[in-house]
Amino acid sequence: MPSREVVEAFAKRLEDGDFVGAILDYYTPDAATYENLAEPMVGRDNLVAKERAVLARSKEVKAVRIGPSLIDGDIVATRWKFSFTNAEGVTRTLEEIAWQTWQGDRLIEERFFYDPKQLGR
C-alpha cells in the first residue's frame, strides 16, 4: 500500500512535468498501463519510450490534478486534466481518471479512463 506521501510526491512529479522521471522512479519494471479498454502497454522501458514519443510530438504538456487522490489499500484513483500543445500551437485538453494498483511504493498497473472525443476538439 502506498503512503499518502508517496502518492503526493508522484503527483507532484507529473504536475512539475517530469513525466519520464515519474515512470522511472515509481513504476515497477513489469508495470502495465491501459488506455481505456485497449490492450496494455507492458514494461517500464516501453512506457518510458511511449512517454518520450508523446513529449517529442508536443511543444508543451501540462498536468493538473483535480481534487485529491483517493487511496484505498493498494488502489489509488486520481482525476487529471492534461493539456497537450503541438508545434503549431494548438492545444488539446484531456480530462481523465487514472486508476492505479500499487505494490508498496511502486505502481504495477495503471488504467486511464477518458472520452477520446476530447482530443478531437
Side-chain angles (χ1 to χ4, degrees), residues 40-113:
M41 170 76 65
V42 180
R44 182 173 53 209
D45 292 343
N46 292 328
L47 299 174
V48 165
K50 178 182 174 186
E51 195 66 25
R52 285 185 173 141
V54 168
L55 294 172
R57 290 191 307 267
S58 304
K59 181 178 174 183
E60 182 178 54
V61 179
K62 289 185 179 179
V64 176
R65 188 167 45 155
I66 302 171
S69 294
L70 306 176
I71 304 171
D72 186 9
D74 290 336
I75 303 299
V76 176
T78 306
R79 184 175 167 200
W80 288 98
K81 184 176 184 179
F82 289 93
S83 298
F84 302 88
T85 303
N86 66 19
E88 292 78 34
V90 176
T91 300
R92 302 264 191 252
T93 301
L94 176 73
E95 192 172 314
E96 71 178 20
I97 300 293
W99 186 270
Q100 304 167 331
T101 303
W102 291 70
Q103 285 182 338
D105 289 342
R106 298 286 177 258
L107 268 162
I108 183 86
E109 182 181 284
E110 189 166 30
R111 293 178 180 264
F112 305 108
F113 297 98

Side-chain angles (χ1 to χ4, degrees), residues 7-18 65 80:
V7 172
E8 292 299 321
F10 173 76
K12 181 160 181 13
R13 294 283 289 276
L14 298 180
E15 291 173 320
D16 289 346
D18 187 11
R65 188 167 45 155
W80 288 98

